[in-house]
Amino acid sequence: MKKVFLAVLSTVLLLSLAACGGGSDTSSKEKGGKEEIVMWGSWSGDQIKQLDKQIASYNASQDKYKVKYVMQENVEEKLLTGIAGGELPDIIMWDRYQTALYAPKGVLEPLDELVKKDNVELGDFYEESVKEMTYGDKLYGLPLLNDNRILFYNKKLLKEAGVEPPTTWDELATAAKKTSKWDGNKMAQAGMSMQDVGLFNLYLMQAGGELVSADNKKTAFNSEQGLEVLNYWDKMQNDLKVYQRGFDDGTDAFAAGKEAMTYNGPWALADYNKVEDLDYGVVEPPAGPNGDKGAIMGGFGLVMPKQAEHKDGAWDFMKWWTTKPENGVEFAKISGWLPANKIAAEDPYFTEDPNYSVFVNTMKYAKIRPTVAGYADVEGLAMKPQFEKFMNGNISAEKALSQAEKEGNQILKEERDN
């Protein structure tokens, strides 16, 4: 983690000890006697309407609490400044990925005792999603929503090219080549989107590789498997010419019918269903050279700040939303996201849908990214910039991997030292 961040965090924590007692029950009640519970999150625009609809159902279900959603940009940073200023929510809805970064700093409330007291069955959630909300031997949140990436394909374009939806890297390369079209030196139709270098982790799993070492102290992607991924990307983009850099910058070429295949998440279903004349299908991520399946699981969870004022109400809402399968299904109908509750995800609403069912099946082997403090910066500050340089033709695959490894290991070391 960056030193500036740590300095700010240290100051914030010192101020919080002086300014906040934490857990007090002095908050005002609104007219009618309901205690107001404030939830922060980064969801905005139409997503606020989705959250408000779900929250309204909870508020109508009981007479003690009323939850209110407040959108915050950079919600994680706002948590730190909120501690210093004494203005904090009772719940935060955030990317579970953030848990490993903030839990070690003492700003989140451990939930183990509450889980034990109320007999919350953690086995009802996807194991990987629970792991992503755990740091050390403590649980710091409840999983709420899950996502993974699967392969979307344009049925019309594949049919015109005489190819089937791919199940392996070789089949993907063949299908992408046959569905690519060029107008001179300019791409007219991409066979496969190769824009997002952040999908390296997904491809690496399919190649049978690892992102970090077994002891979590060093990166592990500068490997035979990592090189295999970059060589495959190079083959797709430069030999087979299935993609041109920047082809879908600022637009969704797949939605426009100009891209035959792309990786995307469950949030895309609702948008693509609205696109006139877009006839698409989905399949699980193609297996790698040795038959390895690989998919990255992510998603949102609910956490409670250490200094939250209304922990009883926060916990009641967290349980209502995450542990009751019917509420998970209902929010999926509202938002398009998959619930992190396995029982909810196995509802016929998902399993009998030709698109959702593929996401559910993929979830059975999807893995989270490493829950190592500092790993987010390894991806954002080391891996992605180097892989962008490689895909832009500025450096070799070997150089990209070695430089990302060097910078990534330094980031992890600095995090441990601090």
Side-chain angles (χ1 to χ4, degrees):
M1 201 67 250
K2 296 173 280 296
K3 296 185 185 301
V4 173
F5 170 83
L6 292 171
V8 172
L9 180 57
S10 298
T11 303
V12 164
L13 292 178
L14 287 172
L15 289 170
S16 73
L17 293 175
C20 303
S24 63
D25 196 23
T26 58
S27 130
S28 62
K29 292 185 178 181
E30 67 165 26
K31 293 179 181 179
K34 283 195 173 187
E35 188 175 280
E36 185 173 84
I37 309 300
V38 176
M39 181 175 80
W40 283 0
S42 60
W43 281 27
S44 59
D46 288 342
Q47 291 178 315
I48 295 178
K49 297 177 183 178
Q50 297 169 3
L51 292 173
D52 283 345
K53 186 173 182 180
Q54 184 78 348
I55 288 169
S57 296
Y58 169 75
N59 291 339
S61 73
Q62 43 73 49
D63 299 321
K64 192 171 182 180
Y65 307 109
K66 181 175 181 180
V67 175
K68 174 185 177 182
Y69 176 71
V70 178
M71 192 279 288
Q72 299 284 358
E73 293 184 1
N74 303 316
V75 66
E76 297 85 9
E77 296 176 15
K78 186 69 174 181
L79 167 62
L80 301 182
T81 57
I83 291 173
E87 297 181 7
L88 285 170
D90 303 294
I91 315 171
I92 299 176
M93 175 185 170
W94 74 4
D95 191 327
R96 294 194 301 263
Y97 192 42
Q98 300 292 342
T99 308
L101 175 59
Y102 287 86
K105 314 305 180 186
V107 298
L108 301 180
E109 178 74 11
L111 302 182
D112 303 89
E113 291 301 318
L114 292 172
V115 166
K116 182 178 180 181
K117 178 174 70 73
D118 288 353
N119 297 314
V120 172
E121 182 51 65
L122 296 179
D124 288 347
F125 299 97
Y126 285 99
E127 182 180 355
E128 289 286 297
S129 64
V130 174
K131 187 188 302 182
E132 201 166 27
M133 305 220 75
T134 303
Y135 186 84
D137 59 352
K138 294 184 181 298
L139 179 73
Y140 288 94
L142 293 181
L144 178 63
L145 306 173
N146 270 359
D147 67 73
N148 59 54
R149 302 291 184 96
I150 62 176
L151 192 70
F152 284 64
Y153 66 92
N154 185 305
K155 292 182 178 180
K156 176 184 177 182
L157 299 185
L158 263 65
K159 183 178 180 180
E160 288 177 349
V163 292
E164 297 294 323
T167 61
T168 67
W169 277 16
D170 284 345
E171 292 177 1
L172 177 61
T174 298
K177 174 64 176 176
K178 291 186 176 181
T179 51
S180 297
K181 295 180 180 179
W182 288 78
D183 182 6
N185 293 325
K186 185 177 181 180
M187 172 150 272
Q189 178 178 296
M192 173 68 187
S193 176
M194 305 297 296
Q195 182 70 11
D196 187 2
V197 297
L199 294 179
F200 175 84
N201 48 32
L202 180 151
Y203 281 91
L204 185 66
M205 288 185 177
Q206 295 164 2
E210 299 290 341
L211 289 162
V212 296
S213 60
D215 61 5
N216 290 332
K217 292 184 177 180
K218 293 184 177 181
T219 63
F221 53 78
N222 185 9
S223 61
E224 179 183 342
Q225 293 86 357
L227 184 59
E228 193 163 28
V229 171
L230 295 193
N231 284 340
Y232 181 74
W233 286 4
D234 182 59
K235 171 187 172 182
M236 292 281 277
Q237 180 174 281
N238 299 314
D239 295 340
L240 301 180
K241 299 187 181 302
V242 307
Y243 187 77
Q244 186 175 43
R245 301 310 292 165
F247 179 71
D248 46 6
D249 279 356
T251 63
D252 188 333
F254 183 82
K258 296 181 179 180
E259 198 165 68
M261 293 175 289
T262 187
Y263 274 113
N264 217 325
W267 54 81
L269 295 175
D271 291 334
Y272 287 161
N273 288 342
K274 297 175 184 176
V275 179
E276 188 176 356
D277 297 328
L278 178 62
D279 187 13
Y280 72 92
V282 294
V283 291
E284 294 180 33
N290 297 316
D292 293 295
K293 289 187 174 184
I296 292 290
M297 175 193 296
F300 288 84
L302 298 175
V303 298
M304 196 185 303
K306 187 80 170 179
Q307 309 293 342
E309 192 172 3
H310 307 109
K311 293 179 180 177
D312 288 346
W315 178 241
D316 190 73
F317 178 60
M318 290 168 74
K319 287 190 302 179
W320 177 87
W321 196 353
T322 63
T323 67
K324 296 181 182 294
E326 62 271 23
N327 294 331
V329 174
E330 186 59 32
F331 190 66
K333 294 178 180 178
I334 295 171
S335 68
W337 281 76
L338 291 170
N341 186 299
K342 289 189 296 186
I343 299 174
E346 291 164 2
D347 187 271
Y349 177 78
F350 303 107
T351 59
E352 294 179 5
D353 184 277
N355 296 328
Y356 274 126
S357 60
V358 178
F359 282 103
V360 174
N361 289 336
T362 303
M363 206 69 72
K364 295 174 183 177
Y365 54 85
K367 301 292 184 182
I368 59 172
R369 291 166 291 180
T371 55
V372 182
Y375 179 76
D377 280 346
V378 173
E379 283 202 347
L381 302 179
M383 296 166 68
K384 289 183 179 179
Q386 296 302 324
F387 297 160
E388 283 286 0
K389 290 179 183 178
F390 166 70
M391 292 300 281
N392 288 329
N394 297 324
I395 59 176
S396 68
E398 291 83 359
K399 179 66 174 179
L401 289 166
S402 64
Q403 189 64 27
E405 176 188 38
K406 178 182 177 181
E407 295 176 5
N409 286 343
Q410 183 62 29
I411 290 170
L412 294 181
K413 182 179 184 299
E414 289 180 359
E415 185 65 33
R416 290 195 305 274
D417 292 345
N418 290 289

